[in-house]
Every structure is written in C-alpha cells, then in structure tokens.
Amino acid sequence: MNGIVVTGANGFVGKALCRLLVQAGHSVTGLVRHAAGCQSGVREWVDSTPDFVGIDSSWPEGLTPDCVVHLAARVHMLNDDASDPDAAFHATNVEGALRVARAAVRHGTRRFVFVSSIKAIAEDDAGRPLREDDTPRPQDPYGRSKLAAEKALIEYGNEMGLEVVIVRPPLVYGPEVRANFLRLMDAISKGLPLPLALVAARRSLVYVDNLADALMCCAIDPRAARGCFHVADDDAPTVVELIETLGKHLQKPARLFPVPVAWLRLAGRATGRSAQIDRLIGSLQVDASRIRSVLGWQSPYSVEEGLATTSRWYRSTH
C-alpha cells in the first residue's frame, strides 16, 4: 500500500493499531493534536486545529494514502456547561470526520475506515445480540453523533467513490484502559465489596489488540469495501464472570454480594446515576459474525488472554 493515515494515533486504540500496522510492514502516518506519543516507526503529523478545520493546510506534502482510519473523536463532554451537548458532539464527530474524509479524497485516498461505536445502535441488546442491520436507537449525544457521522460519510462516499467502512466496537479494554473499566479494576484491587452477585447480564467487550487487528483487516482487505462490521471478542462474559476473572488475574479475589437488580436500579435513580447503573447491569451482546464470515477474521486473543494482559499491566503500574 502507499500508506495508511491513522487519526488519533497516540490514543488508546490508535497506539495499538499503529504498532500492528508497522509490524505488518505498512507505511503509517499518525495524525495527532499534540506532538509526541506515536509509536516508533510512525510518521507524526500534528494538526491542533479544532475539529480538523483547515486540515488541507497542514496536509503533509506528497502524502497520498490508500486508506485513512479515523479514530479521533469526542467521547466525553469537554465542557460540562455546554448548552447544547448534541451540537458539541456533532461538531467533532460528524463535521470533523467529514472534513478529514473530504481532505483524504482530495489527496487520492480510496478507503476511509470510520471507527464508530455500538452506541450508535443501542445501549442494550433487547434480548438478542445486536446486528449491523438493527434499527438504530442511540440514547445519548455521543451515540447520536456517531450514527449521524456514519450516515453522512456513507452518503459522501457514494457520491465521491470513496470506500467507506464502518466499524462498531463495544467497550474496549486493554493496557492503559481508562474510565469505567479502570474504575472497576480499582475497586477489585482495593477489595471493595461489589453488590453485583445477582447480575446475570452479559456484556460484549473487545480487547484492544483484537480491535486493532480487525481495523487493519478493514483497511487492507478488498472484501471490506463499503461494509459495516461489529467487532467483539469471541465470548460475552456475564458481569459476575468478568469481575471474577479480573479478580483472579489481579490476585485480589472479587468481593461480590447479592443485591436484587431492581434495588440497584432504584439506587441509580435515587443518586442520579441511572445511566451508569444500567450500563453495568444491563445486557449488551454484540453479534460479530459478519466480519468473520465476510473477511474471515478471527480474534487473535481470547477474553481470558485479554483480561490477563490488562491485569498484568494494572499490577505493574498501580
């Protein structure tokens, strides 16, 4: 290939993807907002303009990538006082993505891999694993912005002959993970009692190196053109299985005790944390069979291996 551009190259998933691409012999350029942090062997391209406004002016001379993998996104509100959260997410996740896609086309790119989110479809599985063709029902500004970006990019790709590939992962974990997954490991490591012993819900996850491998396939495999793929680990553990496995690898056996799920939901409403509680106790299984059947993709690592590696990182850094 002439090369692959990865936006958000110094982020959690970006680092894993760039490392894998370089190991596979690809020429990789990392588009980042701040200098430093890219993997060895990655050409760093710094563009600190908000939402990629004026990206053409910073485009490196002579860079004509075959593919752009767009990871950069607004995941959380940067300003809690924003009067219109949907507009804030739309500015980055929709308009920003379109600016990158338009610039890529002007510089000869033929494929654009957009890393969306399972949240573009739903926050729960409503009784069966979520498929790519399910009716979308996003529930927050982030999910709505990702769905809007998917639609806008597909329309633009059809108009310009750009091969847009949509990838929707669930929660991503691995070394250097942050947010809720890190807080869960903190709680287990500290021996905090967790009232989750009765939670039977299953949650699909994806180990960061599994996601990176799938993204590389989507970037280079001709069969991925104009496809939409859900990517997840092979197994969807129950919440209890996830916590117990983490406890085993953290060498801090989980302290689970039973509280009825209905009580947990009531506690969530009483404390204004219903969304967080629902994400913890609700079922969210992802059907990732399409990427396996269309691209022949298989997860390089099992859930057990992913959780073990993540736990080793945690124990070495905390």
Side-chain angles (χ1 to χ4, degrees), residues 24-220:
H26 297 287
S27 174
V28 184
T29 299
L31 175 53
V32 297
R33 288 183 55 81
H34 305 288
C38 284
Q39 294 293 302
S40 176
V42 174
R43 177 187 184 185
E44 189 174 76
W45 166 16
V46 180
D47 185 331
S48 59
T49 56
D51 304 329
F52 302 104
V53 175
I55 186 174
D56 276 313
S57 64
S58 72
W59 194 281
E61 184 177 355
L63 179 62
T64 57
D66 285 318
C67 178
V68 171
V69 181
H70 188 58
L71 279 160
R74 180 189 290 263
V75 180
H76 303 291
M77 288 304 302
L78 302 181
N79 179 4
D80 292 336
D81 298 325
S83 59
D84 189 345
D86 279 281
F89 276 97
H90 191 276
T92 300
N93 295 349
V94 183
E95 295 301 328
L98 280 170
R99 289 188 186 103
V100 176
R102 290 170 184 143
V105 167
R106 287 192 289 269
H107 291 85
T109 301
R110 62 179 179 82
R111 180 170 294 186
F112 190 91
V113 178
F114 178 64
V115 184
S116 183
S117 168
I118 202 64
K119 288 166 72 71
I121 296 296
E123 296 274 4
D124 60 85
D125 59 30
R128 66 164 176 79
L130 295 169
R131 298 192 300 256
E132 288 85 351
D133 58 356
D134 281 337
T135 301
R137 44 188 179 89
Q139 297 178 24
D140 66 7
Y142 173 70
R144 289 191 289 269
S145 71
K146 283 295 192 179
L147 179 62
E150 290 181 14
K151 293 178 178 179
L153 288 166
I154 290 170
E155 181 179 355
Y156 178 70
N158 290 339
E159 175 187 347
M160 301 301 297
L162 178 67
E163 297 175 356
V164 174
V165 184
I166 306 297
V167 178
R168 296 187 188 129
L171 187 150
V172 186
Y173 69 98
E176 299 186 30
V177 69
R178 295 292 181 262
N180 290 336
F181 202 93
L182 178 59
R183 285 192 282 272
L184 178 61
M185 288 197 292
D186 283 338
I188 296 169
S189 180
K190 293 174 182 176
L192 299 179
L194 300 171
L196 303 172
L198 298 181
V199 178
R202 291 188 176 273
R203 306 287 296 190
S204 287
L205 312 166
V206 62
Y207 179 49
V208 66
D209 284 358
N210 285 340
L211 177 57
D213 190 80
L215 291 174
M216 184 170 70
C217 287
C218 288
I220 66 177

Side-chain angles (χ1 to χ4, degrees), residues 134-311:
D134 281 337
T135 301
R137 44 188 179 89
Q139 297 178 24
D140 66 7
Y142 173 70
R144 289 191 289 269
S145 71
K146 283 295 192 179
L147 179 62
E150 290 181 14
K151 293 178 178 179
L153 288 166
I154 290 170
E155 181 179 355
Y156 178 70
N158 290 339
E159 175 187 347
M160 301 301 297
L162 178 67
E163 297 175 356
V164 174
V165 184
I166 306 297
V167 178
R168 296 187 188 129
L171 187 150
V172 186
Y173 69 98
E176 299 186 30
V177 69
R178 295 292 181 262
N180 290 336
F181 202 93
L182 178 59
R183 285 192 282 272
L184 178 61
M185 288 197 292
D186 283 338
I188 296 169
S189 180
K190 293 174 182 176
L192 299 179
L194 300 171
L196 303 172
L198 298 181
V199 178
R202 291 188 176 273
R203 306 287 296 190
S204 287
L205 312 166
V206 62
Y207 179 49
V208 66
D209 284 358
N210 285 340
L211 177 57
D213 190 80
L215 291 174
M216 184 170 70
C217 287
C218 288
I220 66 177
D221 193 322
R223 297 170 296 179
R226 296 182 174 84
C228 177
F229 304 103
H230 289 175
V231 178
D233 291 346
D234 291 339
D235 299 316
T238 66
V239 172
V240 171
E241 289 170 345
L242 172 62
I243 292 171
E244 289 180 340
T245 303
L246 282 172
K248 177 181 69 175
H249 291 297
L250 290 170
Q251 300 179 3
K252 296 282 187 177
R255 298 179 62 191
L256 290 161
F257 66 94
V259 171
V261 171
W263 292 12
L264 294 174
R265 294 190 190 279
L266 284 172
R269 287 196 289 270
T271 59
R273 302 182 64 190
S274 289
Q276 294 93 321
I277 295 296
D278 287 344
R279 281 195 291 270
L280 186 61
I281 66 178
S283 178
L284 180 58
Q285 296 184 76
V286 171
D287 183 344
S289 61
R290 187 167 188 267
I291 191 171
R292 296 185 175 98
S293 62
V294 174
L295 304 185
W297 181 78
Q298 298 293 329
S299 302
Y301 303 95
S302 67
V303 176
E304 182 80 20
E305 291 171 320
L307 293 176
T309 302
T310 306
S311 298

